[in-house]
Amino acid sequence: MEIQLWREILSPYEQAVDELLIKFNHIIAQYRNSGQYSPIEAVNGRVKKISSILDKMQKKNIAMDQIVEEMDDIAGIRVICQFVEDIDKVVEIIRGRSDMRIREEKDYITNAKQSGYQSYHIILDYDVYTINGPKTIQAEIQIRTLAMNFWATIEHSLQYKYKHNMPLHIKEKLHAAAVATVTLDKEMSQVRGEIMDAQNSFNIKAIIVSEILTNIQNLYRVGNQREVIKIQDEFYNIYKQDDLELLTSFAKQLDIIAEGYKAQSLN
Ligand code: 0O2
């Protein structure tokens, strides 16, 4: 096959990965910007390398003209969560969307693979709109915790190194590590509430500080600059006290002042 043709085949997958990354990153941003805990910690994506597509075609006996229909992970998105419970939330979010039509779900968390691999996979039908018209492609979303991802990344590298001949003692180590991953995720789940509270406070504080500084900056442009410098010093003093209530009340007062100067909406 000509290299040009591979580019044509892979182009809608590249578009799908780009679009899906934007969509998942906006989910994270919307949670965090509204001061809520995000069930998604991070997201990344890739289009499968031509060499890996060729390997999989060989392994699964897939013909060239069948890859669009038969290969479901040419476009791959990996959603990383902090806690196992977050995975359910992410699955729920995806199920609720009309732009990501679920074809299949594979729960390798309830039923871990023989290797010890854990992850929740969703295979999607996803529409991309290209200059040649719409095209529906498949995409695989892998949803897993940080701990599961750590294990899978290491195991994937070892699989690549040893191909199909992984030494028994390494297999055993990986099995033990997979068991430890399950234990770690369970332990972390027990402090989930506390961790979420801490992260929420951190996010809320970051949002308030950003709003305060925007108001100060806007007031500096339209108000009495010496007064604004005083306000800024007051802000630094309050910030040092590390008291969220005090900071919130300062932000509210500043909002009223900024409103008086019609400085809130300035860029
Ligand atoms: P790569 O290099 O990551 O792209 P199936 O039809 O269900 O029998 P299929 O189509 O391979 O098999 O689907 P499956 O088993 O759901 O696996 C899809 C992807 O999940 C794999 O893609 C891996 O990324 C990941 N995965 C599955 N099993 C394992 C495992 O034991 N260890 C690790 N580290 N990852 C796994 P590829 O194409 O195999 O690999």
Side-chain angles (χ1 to χ4, degrees):
M1 171 165 291
E2 301 285 330
I3 193 72
Q4 185 57 32
L5 211 44
W6 272 109
R7 286 216 181 102
E8 269 169 38
I9 292 173
L10 297 184
S11 169
Y13 292 96
E14 276 156 13
Q15 188 177 331
V17 168
D18 288 348
E19 289 182 14
L20 286 164
L21 283 177
I22 288 177
K23 290 178 180 185
F24 281 107
N25 274 315
H26 273 275
I27 294 175
I28 300 177
Q30 281 166 29
Y31 272 108
R32 291 189 181 151
N33 292 341
S34 61
Q36 292 180 69
Y37 168 83
S38 170
I40 302 176
E41 173 63 15
V43 60
N44 53 55
R46 61 98 184 98
V47 173
K48 212 176 180 70
K49 293 209 167 49
I50 296 174
S51 58
S52 303
I53 296 176
L54 291 171
D55 287 347
K56 198 157 187 172
M57 280 169 69
Q58 240 178 342
K59 191 174 123 197
K60 297 205 153 198
N61 207 11
I62 299 171
M64 194 67 227
D65 58 354
Q66 288 175 328
I67 57 173
V68 174
E69 192 45 45
E70 297 292 323
M71 215 174 282
D72 52 24
D73 66 343
I74 297 179
I77 298 290
R78 193 163 290 156
V79 173
I80 309 297
C81 306
Q82 296 192 78
F83 303 101
V84 181
E85 292 80 355
D86 299 335
I87 295 175
D88 296 336
K89 180 69 195 165
V90 176
V91 172
E92 212 180 281
I93 291 171
I94 296 172
R95 284 185 187 146
R97 294 183 68 121
S98 55
D99 56 345
M100 302 178 192
R101 298 188 307 279
I102 297 179
R103 228 181 138 104
E104 196 183 348
E105 294 185 24
K106 302 178 191 174
D107 183 354
Y108 298 132
I109 295 174
T110 312
N111 302 302
K113 283 200 154 188
Q114 220 185 349
S115 59
Y117 176 76
Q118 290 185 87
S119 191
Y120 198 97
H121 291 190
I122 294 185
I123 312 295
L124 298 178
D125 272 330
Y126 184 78
D127 298 330
V128 285
Y129 294 87
T130 73
I131 52 168
N132 300 317
K135 191 167 171 59
T136 303
I137 54 111
Q138 297 189 61
E140 182 188 69
I141 320 279
Q142 299 182 342
I143 312 159
R144 47 172 91 145
T145 62
L146 287 157
M148 292 171 190
N149 191 48
F150 177 42
W151 184 93
T153 306
I154 302 292
E155 196 260 2
H156 193 272
S157 310
L158 290 170
Q159 257 187 44
Y160 185 79
K161 176 173 176 179
Y162 293 109
K163 306 282 178 216
H164 295 296
N165 303 308
M166 198 184 291
L168 188 63
H169 72 280
I170 298 209
K171 267 193 194 165
E172 284 170 357
K173 282 250 179 285
L174 283 169
H175 268 284
V179 173
T181 302
V182 176
T183 310
L184 178 63
D185 273 332
K186 277 192 186 142
E187 296 279 336
M188 287 302 183
S189 286
Q190 285 171 19
V191 287
R192 182 170 180 256
E194 273 182 59
I195 295 172
M196 279 170 67
D197 282 350
Q199 289 174 353
N200 276 346
S201 309
F202 179 84
N203 278 341
I204 291 167
K205 188 173 165 187
I207 293 167
I208 294 174
V209 166
S210 158
E211 280 171 4
I212 289 174
L213 290 175
T214 304
N215 272 337
I216 289 178
Q217 207 169 302
N218 290 343
L219 276 169
Y220 191 77
R221 288 194 210 154
V222 295
N224 178 325
Q225 296 190 345
R226 228 181 293 157
E227 286 299 314
V228 179
I229 289 170
K230 267 196 214 159
I231 292 175
Q232 183 166 272
D233 288 343
E234 201 185 332
F235 160 66
Y236 287 139
N237 276 333
I238 287 174
Y239 187 81
K240 268 191 245 160
Q241 295 177 46
D242 197 20
D243 182 334
L244 195 57
E245 254 179 63
L246 211 58
L247 200 64
T248 311
S249 125
F250 178 80
K252 278 187 189 147
Q253 280 173 5
L254 193 60
D255 239 5
I256 295 167
I257 299 172
E259 214 179 330
Y261 280 94
K262 300 211 177 329
Q264 273 178 315
S265 56
L266 291 177
N267 286 321

